[in-house]
Amino acid sequence: MSTPDPQQLVPTAGQTIGPFYGFALPYERGHELVPPGTPGAVRLHGTVLDGAGVPVPDAMLEIRQADPSGNVPAVEGSLRRDGTVFTGWGRCAVDPGGRYSFTTVEPGATDQGSAPFFAVTVFARGLLNRLFTRAYLPGSERLGDDRLLAGLGEDRRQTLVATREDDGSLRFDIHLQGEGETVFLAFPRHSR
């Protein structure tokens, strides 16, 4: 068997998490944790930006959250949306402008001394591993008491708090690096 000529080899994909995750992982209504028009529904939306402030056109986000009472659902079948069972989990690919949008409900605080938040996971080109962050609800009286937020300087803390828009929706832009970089979290089992 002969050794292939290096100039004849086809290069492998440059994306570190696929180039195919955008085709295989998003699913129908994955961005709808509740159907639009559900009483109490809110839109969580924003843009994923790179270090130069340019929208990232091929990112994918997942959110996990508590229900309005602060209970984290443990429901099987999160990939199926029947419009009646709240699973607390969703997945959304960004559009070509780097924008994403979830239809969900506002989460409640999961324990005493914590503020309500959405757990957000970011997948994107150039990332060897996914990134973890949080989107806290604005205006919560518990923001000052939350242990994570209390351990950050004011400028860094603000990267984790969503903004309430005039239409009642929640805007949470994600800056992957550079000025205003979103605070990302490290978890021991996910460090490799």
Side-chain angles (χ1 to χ4, degrees):
M1 183 170 217
S2 65
T3 303
D5 177 4
Q7 293 188 0
Q8 299 280 328
L9 296 175
V10 177
T12 58
Q15 292 180 329
T16 56
I17 59 169
F20 308 112
Y21 79 94
F23 299 105
L25 295 179
Y27 60 96
E28 186 179 357
R29 295 183 16 232
H31 65 288
E32 293 179 5
L33 283 75
V34 298
T38 300
V42 68
R43 188 171 145 243
L44 173 66
H45 65 100
T47 305
V48 179
L49 303 155
D50 68 14
V54 176
V56 176
D58 54 1
M60 185 177 66
L61 303 178
E62 292 179 352
I63 63 171
R64 179 84 170 131
Q65 68 171 94
D67 66 16
S69 300
N71 299 311
V72 178
V75 179
E76 290 185 26
S78 294
L79 295 178
R80 290 183 288 282
R81 300 287 192 232
D82 66 7
T84 61
V85 177
F86 179 72
T87 64
W89 184 84
R91 181 183 287 156
C92 178
V94 299
D95 70 12
R99 294 176 296 267
Y100 72 91
S101 180
F102 290 96
T103 304
T104 187
V105 293
E106 292 189 16
T110 56
D111 58 26
Q112 290 282 13
S114 70
F117 65 88
F118 300 93
V120 181
T121 305
V122 181
F123 300 85
R125 62 183 150 95
L127 297 178
L128 296 177
N129 291 303
R130 61 191 175 210
L131 299 175
F132 300 94
T133 191
R134 290 181 177 181
Y136 283 88
L137 295 182
S140 170
E141 66 278 354
R142 294 186 178 180
L143 285 175
D145 299 330
D146 188 90
R147 288 187 320 159
L148 174 63
L149 293 177
L152 299 171
E154 181 62 28
D155 59 330
R156 302 297 291 141
R157 185 178 311 131
Q158 290 308 309
T159 71
L160 296 178
V161 181
T163 303
R164 178 87 55 192
E165 304 253 288
D166 291 340
D167 64 1
S169 66
L170 297 168
R171 181 174 190 88
F172 184 69
D173 291 334
I174 299 169
H175 297 261
L176 297 178
Q177 59 183 350
E179 187 174 335
E181 177 181 333
T182 301
V183 171
F184 296 105
L185 310 173
F187 295 98
R189 290 185 344 172
H190 297 284
S191 62
R192 293 185 222 167

